[in-house]
Amino acid sequence: MQAQIDQYTAEINAFSPANADELETFRIKFLGTKGIIKDLFEQFKTVGPEEKRTFGKVLNQFKQLAEAKYAELKEATESGPKTKDLELDLTLPGDGFEVGSRHPLSLVRNEIIDIFKRLGFVVAEGPEIEDDWHNFSALNFPEEHPARDMQDTFFIKKNAGKDDIALRTHTSSVQVRMMEHGKPPFRAIMPGRVYRNEAISARAHCFFHQVEGLYVDENVSFADLKQTLYHFVQELYGEGTKVRFRPSYFPFTEPSAEMDVSCTICKGAGCNMCKYSGWVEILGCGMVDPNVLENCGIDSKKFTGFAFGMGMERIANLKYVIRDLRLFSENDVRFLKQFQTEML
Ligand code: PHE
């Protein structure tokens, strides 16, 4: 009996439950109504009076040890994550996860689309690989126009004129596709990537992004063009932003103009961004040349229209003061992280 008690004592001292179930098994084994202690007390009844005196004490000590061990473990189980099962504290806050941020060009594009959508413009898209007709000829580019020169255009197939295939140099090609395949009125903007054969530097890149716009209907006038763009600028850069139009030239518009806005950084007082002139150019525009309308099968006696085109990088520069164009395409997270994060 002594040997048995010694063995149980060692077992109890070494016991360390992995979870509450193991502790319960322990309780049933030693302290349960059919447990070891109950059994030992039954045996105790049968021993002689001599042994009773010694064993009575030993047995009682053993019982106290088992009860104390159980009480101690029970308390530990209930009060804290001491056993393996309870190492996971469900009340702790979860691991945070990083939400990405939008690319500054996407932010600007979405904002431009939003403004024009409210004016009833839809979004139109077209291919980045274009034929000569959609990128140049339909847009009234004379054969010998310098913009067709290899210096500006990335040609994929060069067959001297008509069959040329190139990376589009502007999204005006989407205007042609739209007019060819539909009937006026047209009121759309065309955001997209365009390519020009330029050496990459802080101020020029071989690809960039444009948003062009087209509005064709009966009686569309230059006044509509001015008012639409004026409204656009007030929405984009805030009430009170001034605009001015300077005469310009594009093969596909007549008359043509470039539009400046009062510098968004210094509000016209003069700064680095506007080269101390108070004005920055943001887009080209004009009335769609009747030749272009006719090239696309639209009666230029009945319909008139205006078009405009702007570089998204320029718009983003003026909003976020980004002075190096290369940042837009390098995907440096330290740069990208700085822009507004939207909930996914
Ligand atoms: N397509 C011209 C460009 O790429 C911009 C423009 C569009 C100008 C429409 C006038 C009208 O520079």
Side-chain angles (χ1 to χ4, degrees):
M1 206 169 172
Q2 181 65 53
Q4 225 177 4
I5 290 175
D6 287 348
Q7 195 192 328
Y8 288 142
T9 305
E11 189 182 330
I12 290 173
N13 284 333
F15 179 63
S16 163
N19 53 43
D21 284 349
E22 283 189 17
L23 182 59
E24 179 61 5
T25 311
F26 170 88
R27 187 190 65 78
I28 294 166
K29 181 175 175 188
F30 288 99
L31 301 163
T33 44
K34 287 179 188 146
I36 286 165
I37 289 169
K38 187 90 180 169
D39 188 45
L40 286 172
F41 273 99
E42 287 300 321
Q43 289 182 40
F44 181 67
K45 284 181 194 160
T46 63
V47 299
E50 256 304 290
E51 284 175 312
K52 263 205 173 96
R53 215 170 301 131
T54 24
F55 273 118
K57 212 172 156 205
V58 171
L59 209 48
N60 273 322
Q61 274 173 355
F62 176 67
K63 190 183 173 204
Q64 276 163 19
L65 171 78
E67 282 172 344
K69 179 83 179 180
Y70 175 73
E72 177 202 318
L73 290 171
K74 176 94 177 145
E75 226 220 292
T77 309
E78 276 163 6
S79 68
K82 291 246 170 77
T83 54
K84 276 189 200 143
D85 229 20
L86 297 168
E87 265 163 28
L88 185 66
D89 181 352
L90 297 177
T91 63
L92 284 175
D95 283 346
F97 63 95
E98 259 189 85
V99 181
S101 56
R102 296 234 189 256
H103 192 282
L105 290 178
S106 302
L107 290 173
V108 164
R109 184 198 54 211
N110 292 349
E111 203 177 339
I112 295 172
I113 291 175
D114 267 1
I115 297 170
F116 282 104
K117 263 193 181 163
R118 292 199 288 274
L119 294 174
F121 284 73
V122 296
V123 175
E125 285 179 342
E128 293 185 14
I129 296 173
E130 265 300 2
D131 51 37
D132 171 86
W133 172 255
H134 292 96
N135 198 75
F136 296 126
S137 293
L139 289 161
N140 207 31
F141 276 80
E143 277 286 330
E144 69 289 356
H145 196 282
R148 290 179 173 224
D149 200 288
M150 302 266 317
Q151 285 198 335
D152 293 318
T153 310
F154 285 116
F155 287 99
I156 290 173
K157 214 173 93 193
K158 181 103 179 93
N159 280 339
K162 283 203 155 156
D163 303 325
D164 290 352
I165 302 288
L167 293 176
R168 68 180 177 194
T169 59
H170 51 186
T171 54
S172 304
S173 53
V174 187
Q175 305 189 13
V176 176
R177 288 182 177 275
M178 191 174 198
M179 290 192 281
E180 276 178 343
H181 293 107
K183 282 193 164 52
F186 300 106
R187 208 188 295 167
I189 53 170
M190 300 85 184
R193 183 180 289 180
V194 300
Y195 303 83
R196 291 190 195 173
N197 194 355
E198 304 248 13
I200 297 170
S201 71
R203 306 219 267 130
H205 211 290
C206 59
F207 67 79
F208 56 99
H209 300 77
Q210 284 190 326
V211 182
E212 295 215 354
L214 174 73
Y215 181 22
V216 177
D217 202 348
E218 292 178 39
N219 299 320
V220 175
S221 70
F222 203 90
D224 296 321
L225 163 65
K226 284 176 84 173
Q227 187 55 37
T228 303
L229 294 178
Y230 177 78
H231 174 79
F232 164 66
V233 163
Q234 304 306 303
E235 293 277 299
L236 188 69
Y237 292 125
E239 290 290 324
T241 308
K242 293 196 202 107
V243 299
R244 74 176 184 190
F245 290 81
R246 288 177 288 103
S248 185
Y249 171 77
F250 300 102
F252 37 90
T253 48
E254 181 59 35
S256 304
E258 272 166 337
M259 189 179 86
D260 300 340
V261 293
S262 48
C263 180
T264 54
I265 308 299
C266 65
K267 307 283 172 229
C271 69
N272 226 351
M273 183 67 94
C274 60
K275 300 200 190 80
Y276 299 92
S277 70
W279 296 95
V280 278
E281 184 209 317
I282 64 160
L283 55 82
C285 57
M287 300 305 292
V288 181
D289 192 300
N291 286 343
V292 175
L293 294 175
E294 294 294 336
N295 284 341
C296 300
I298 290 163
D299 183 354
S300 63
K301 301 230 166 41
K302 194 169 171 205
F303 295 101
T304 51
F306 68 72
F308 57 87
M310 65 190 104
M312 272 192 233
E313 281 80 353
R314 165 57 70 89
I315 306 289
N317 284 352
L318 289 175
K319 216 175 164 100
Y320 302 116
V321 197
I322 299 161
R323 293 190 187 275
D324 191 330
L325 274 179
R326 291 168 292 197
L327 287 166
F328 288 117
S329 50
E330 278 169 353
N331 282 338
D332 185 333
V333 238
R334 291 167 303 178
F335 169 73
L336 296 174
K337 259 186 168 172
Q338 297 172 56
F339 300 91
Q340 173 199 340
T341 300
E342 291 174 13
M343 291 312 290
L344 294 175

